[in-house]
Amino acid sequence: MVNDSGQLYTIEGISAGLLMIVTAYLVVSSTTVLTPQDVHITDVQLKQLGNDALAMMDTRDSYEDQRSPLQEYILNDDTTTFTQTFLLYCNSSTGVTDMDNLRFKSTINYYNRITKEQVNYTYHMPAGYDYYRENAVIVNRWVYLENKPPGAPPDMDSGPQIVLLEVLLWRV
């Protein structure tokens, strides 16, 4: 005699098979294989790291502060503290891996209102950080300055202005 208990096992088997096929498809499609064309992923991560470091430096420590640390470093021509802070933020790790060995070279771009042209000059170049590699990234940040920094060129305006801080960042 034929009863309905065989149909239940058949439906259960078909649904379990479909579930295994869908799971296998999701696992295979979610894994990625890095090819030589995907090497730029590390550059994107390095660029994000540099942008985050500049953003942290350009954030005021408290509400009462008039300027961010980044503005203070530029206005006071404090290249030593700028270098230490930037490399500290970029080289900080969670302790799981070794610290990254990063180097940078930074320039400040400003607009000359008299000659109507953009001028850039090297401002925060740490000693011994010459660039000899191809895979470097450029991160930048607009910084508001209330007046002209002391080490700035004479053709830079002395009033309030916005300058572009550009940092060339690379791994050693």
Side-chain angles (χ1 to χ4, degrees):
M1 189 157 216
V2 177
N3 59 13
D4 292 340
S5 65
Q7 291 176 349
L8 186 60
Y9 291 123
T10 304
I11 292 172
E12 185 181 1
I14 290 173
S15 61
L18 286 174
L19 184 63
M20 288 191 296
I21 289 173
V22 168
T23 303
Y25 171 74
L26 288 175
V27 167
V28 169
S29 66
S30 68
T31 57
T32 58
V33 176
L34 291 178
T35 61
Q37 291 83 9
D38 293 332
V39 175
H40 70 280
I41 292 173
T42 58
D43 294 340
V44 171
Q45 290 172 339
L46 185 61
K47 186 168 187 146
Q48 185 64 43
L49 181 68
N51 280 327
D52 289 346
L54 286 179
M56 288 189 313
M57 291 172 68
D58 199 23
T59 303
R60 293 185 299 170
D61 291 332
S62 68
Y63 183 74
E64 289 82 22
D65 290 344
Q66 297 296 320
R67 299 182 190 139
S68 69
L70 185 60
Q71 290 171 323
E72 291 286 338
Y73 301 149
I74 294 173
L75 286 173
N76 296 330
D77 198 14
D78 192 359
T79 58
T80 305
T81 310
F82 175 84
T83 301
Q84 290 171 350
T85 306
F86 185 75
L87 288 178
L88 173 72
Y89 288 160
C90 286
N91 286 327
S92 294
S93 67
T94 58
V96 177
T97 60
D98 294 334
M99 289 184 62
D100 208 352
N101 196 5
L102 299 176
R103 297 289 185 257
F104 73 96
K105 177 181 178 182
S106 60
T107 58
I108 291 180
N109 300 315
Y110 63 93
Y111 182 74
N112 188 332
R113 294 181 195 167
I114 298 170
T115 60
K116 306 288 188 212
E117 64 184 22
Q118 177 182 336
V119 180
N120 60 352
Y121 67 98
T122 302
Y123 190 68
H124 286 291
M125 185 179 77
Y129 289 0
D130 293 330
Y131 173 65
Y132 295 113
R133 300 186 50 116
E134 290 182 17
N135 48 353
V137 295
I138 295 177
V139 294
N140 49 30
R141 184 91 178 167
W142 292 101
V143 181
Y144 173 75
L145 300 178
E146 297 157 353
N147 49 19
K148 181 170 132 176
D155 65 343
M156 186 174 186
D157 293 334
S158 59
Q161 60 185 315
I162 295 177
V163 296
L164 179 66
L165 174 65
E166 224 173 41
V167 180
L168 181 69
L169 185 63
W170 68 92
R171 282 190 169 89
V172 177

